[in-house]
């Protein structure tokens, strides 16, 4: 009987989408797969894991919380670890692969509690330019780390690091190598802000674009992800300014939106940066200011240093600043084209296959 590979991932799409991309490659190669995830999103009713074994474990984050919150988080993680240990003993898994964030802690830590003769191999993937807190903790127990960036801060000494890139969904991988066409008549701007949108983009971007000269406003088509409660407010600002707009809380056709965009405004999460690079798109990045280790700041700086993006810290992300930057970029579209080319050079295609290769090499060794 073939021993399964456990994929430990949950939380937002930034952690889950790379995990699903790698799992898809492993499934195509004939591996049996099991998902261990957290209660925040629970069982997956669509996608690769829909008809595969899934286990929803206790767990909670502890970063940025007070003493009471930390104690509750640690208690939940311990419960999840005991649940995972019991399940792993039954599964006799060949490997446990984690993709960062607190949902990966219980399964990976539980795997180290098993007898050596039944202990699965352990691999972790880091999607940011700074080792996240969960992975920094888990790296003490796993010397095998797949990274998305050539230079990753906080990597422990003695780790066996493999540069694989960030796995992305197949539809976005298919965008790699497409030519960038600078805007001529219609100017398409995509605004996204994480899995549920971000209020700062709803507060700043519509006012900023509405302040552009009318010659730009009449050519704009804006696609913006917003929280449901902000939909009417954001749409009204654009419509009053004469800007063509599509406002929704969630987009199921992200590859198509990226394919037609001329400029993207959004956060600098590991998956977002990888998708922008894969699509070869210029971007304005606003790192999440509450990230425990400023991972998004490091991600955004890497893309900015490559000449592919403009990073604005959230305290400086004002409507006036965005109006000035966007107006300058639209006045000089060659800057957008140059950034698009730099983004393409920053991309690391076939990352899911490379992570799968690493997992298989660990199993063989």
């Amino acid at each position: 009987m073939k021993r399964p590979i456990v994929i430990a991932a949950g939380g937002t799409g930034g952690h889950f989408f790379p995990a699903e991309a790698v799992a898809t490659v492993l499934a195509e190669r004939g591996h049996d797969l099991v998902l261990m995830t957290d209660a925040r999103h629970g069982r997956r009713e669509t996608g690769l894991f829909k008809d595969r074994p899934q286990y929803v474990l206790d767990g909670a984050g502890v970063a940025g919380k007070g003493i009471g919150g930390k104690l509750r988080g640690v208690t939940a993680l311990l419960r999840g670890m005991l649940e995972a240990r019991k399940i792993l003993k039954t599964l006799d898994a060949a490997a446990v692969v984690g993709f960062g964030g607190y949902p990966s802690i219980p399964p990976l830590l539980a795997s180290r509690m098993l007898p050596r003769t039944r202990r699965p191999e352990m691999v972790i993937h880091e999607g940011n330019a700074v080792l996240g807190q969960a992975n920094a903790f888990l790296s003490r127990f796993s010397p095998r780390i797949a990274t998305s960036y050539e230079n990753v801060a906080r990597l422990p000494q003695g780790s066996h690091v493999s540069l694989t890139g960030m796995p992305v969904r197949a539809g976005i991988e298919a965008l790699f190598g497409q030519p960038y066409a600078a805007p001529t008549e219609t100017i398409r701007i995509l605004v996204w802000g994480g899995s549920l949108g971000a209020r700062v983009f709803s507060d700043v971007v519509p006012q900023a674009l509405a302040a552009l000269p009318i010659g730009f406003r009449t050519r704009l088509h804006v696609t913006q992800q917003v929280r449901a409660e902000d939909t009417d407010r954001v749409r009204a600002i654009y419509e009053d300014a004469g800007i063509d707009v599509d406002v929704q809380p969630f987009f199921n056709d992200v590859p198509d939106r990226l394919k037609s965009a001329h400029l993207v405004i959004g956060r600098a999460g590991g998956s977002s940066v990888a998708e922008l690079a894969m699509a070869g798109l210029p971007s304005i990045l606003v790192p999440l200011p509450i990230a425990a280790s400023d991972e998004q700041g490091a991600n955004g700086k890497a893309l900015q240093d490559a000449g592919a993006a403009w990073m604005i810290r959230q305290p400086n992300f004002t409507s006036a600043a965005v109006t000035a930057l966007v107006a300058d970029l639209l006045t000089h579209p060659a800057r957008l084209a140059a950034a698009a080319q730099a983004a393409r050079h920053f991309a690391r295609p076939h990352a899911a296959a490379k992570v799968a290769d690493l997992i298989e090499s660990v199993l063989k060794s």
Side-chain angles (χ1 to χ4, degrees):
M1 181 178 177
K2 185 178 296 186
R3 299 171 67 195
I5 296 173
V6 174
I7 302 295
T12 63
H15 292 297
F16 185 76
F17 289 149
E20 189 172 43
V22 173
T24 298
V25 174
L26 292 170
E28 291 171 350
R29 296 180 182 182
H31 294 280
D32 293 332
L33 299 164
V34 173
L35 175 67
M36 288 191 178
T37 188
D38 65 316
R40 180 161 43 158
H41 283 77
R43 289 185 56 85
R44 303 286 165 162
E45 302 300 334
T46 60
L48 178 79
F49 291 106
K50 178 182 67 173
D51 299 318
R52 287 179 164 83
Q54 299 184 46
Y55 298 94
V56 179
L57 305 174
D58 273 336
V62 297
K65 296 185 178 181
I67 294 177
K70 289 182 185 295
L71 288 174
R72 288 189 293 272
V74 169
T75 300
L77 289 171
L78 288 173
R79 285 198 304 267
M81 182 182 64
L82 294 174
E83 295 171 20
R85 181 173 179 268
K86 183 177 180 180
I87 296 166
L88 288 172
K89 288 174 67 175
T90 302
L91 288 176
D92 189 28
V96 181
V97 186
F99 288 82
Y102 75 80
S104 64
I105 293 178
L108 273 69
L109 198 56
S111 72
R112 302 303 91 182
M113 299 172 61
L114 297 176
R116 287 189 176 275
T117 56
R118 300 188 63 191
R119 187 176 295 175
E121 299 294 338
M122 181 174 170
V123 177
I124 61 178
H125 179 273
E126 177 55 58
N128 296 298
V130 177
L131 199 64
Q133 290 199 335
N135 277 347
F137 172 70
L138 291 168
S139 64
R140 306 173 192 177
F141 311 98
S142 172
R144 305 178 186 96
I145 304 173
T147 65
S148 299
Y149 291 80
E150 187 171 0
N151 298 306
V152 178
R154 291 175 40 177
L155 283 172
Q157 290 185 346
S159 298
H160 296 288
V161 178
S162 299
L163 176 60
T164 61
M166 169 67 94
V168 298
R169 291 165 282 181
I172 291 173
E173 179 107 32
L175 299 177
F176 179 69
Q178 73 164 13
Y180 176 80
T184 52
E185 293 302 320
T186 301
I187 305 165
R188 299 186 181 276
I189 297 179
L190 172 62
V191 186
W192 60 10
S195 59
L196 297 175
R199 179 151 291 159
V200 66
F201 295 111
S202 296
D203 293 340
V204 171
V205 178
Q207 298 286 359
L209 300 185
L212 288 169
I214 190 169
F216 288 140
R217 296 202 310 268
T218 56
R219 295 166 55 200
L220 282 181
H221 176 81
V222 178
T223 299
Q224 183 159 348
Q225 180 191 25
V226 300
R227 296 175 184 270
E229 61 269 26
D230 293 332
T231 301
D232 292 339
R233 172 174 67 93
V234 169
R235 182 183 292 114
I237 295 171
Y238 282 121
E239 290 179 348
D240 288 346
I243 296 173
D244 186 26
V245 67
D246 182 3
V247 180
Q248 297 182 37
F250 186 79
F251 295 108
N252 291 311
D253 55 349
V254 171
D256 290 336
R257 306 277 178 170
L258 287 172
K259 185 175 182 179
S260 62
H262 296 114
L263 175 66
V264 178
I265 303 174
R267 291 296 192 199
S271 284
S272 295
V273 167
E275 291 174 354
L276 290 169
M278 199 66 65
L281 289 175
S283 56
I284 298 172
L285 300 177
V286 186
L288 183 70
I290 61 171
S293 303
D294 192 30
E295 298 96 334
Q296 292 200 11
N299 298 344
K301 185 177 185 302
L303 205 59
Q304 179 174 257
D305 289 349
W310 295 266
M311 186 173 75
I312 305 176
R313 292 289 186 172
Q314 189 157 313
N316 301 320
F317 187 67
T318 63
S319 293
V322 176
T323 300
L325 177 56
V326 172
D328 182 61
L329 293 175
L330 297 182
T331 303
H332 304 94
R335 296 185 65 193
L336 291 173
Q341 183 176 6
R344 284 196 297 274
H345 289 314
F346 193 83
R348 296 189 181 277
H350 315 303
K354 292 174 183 176
V355 176
D357 290 343
L358 173 63
I359 295 167
E360 290 183 328
S361 71
V362 168
L363 293 178
K364 290 176 182 176
S365 65

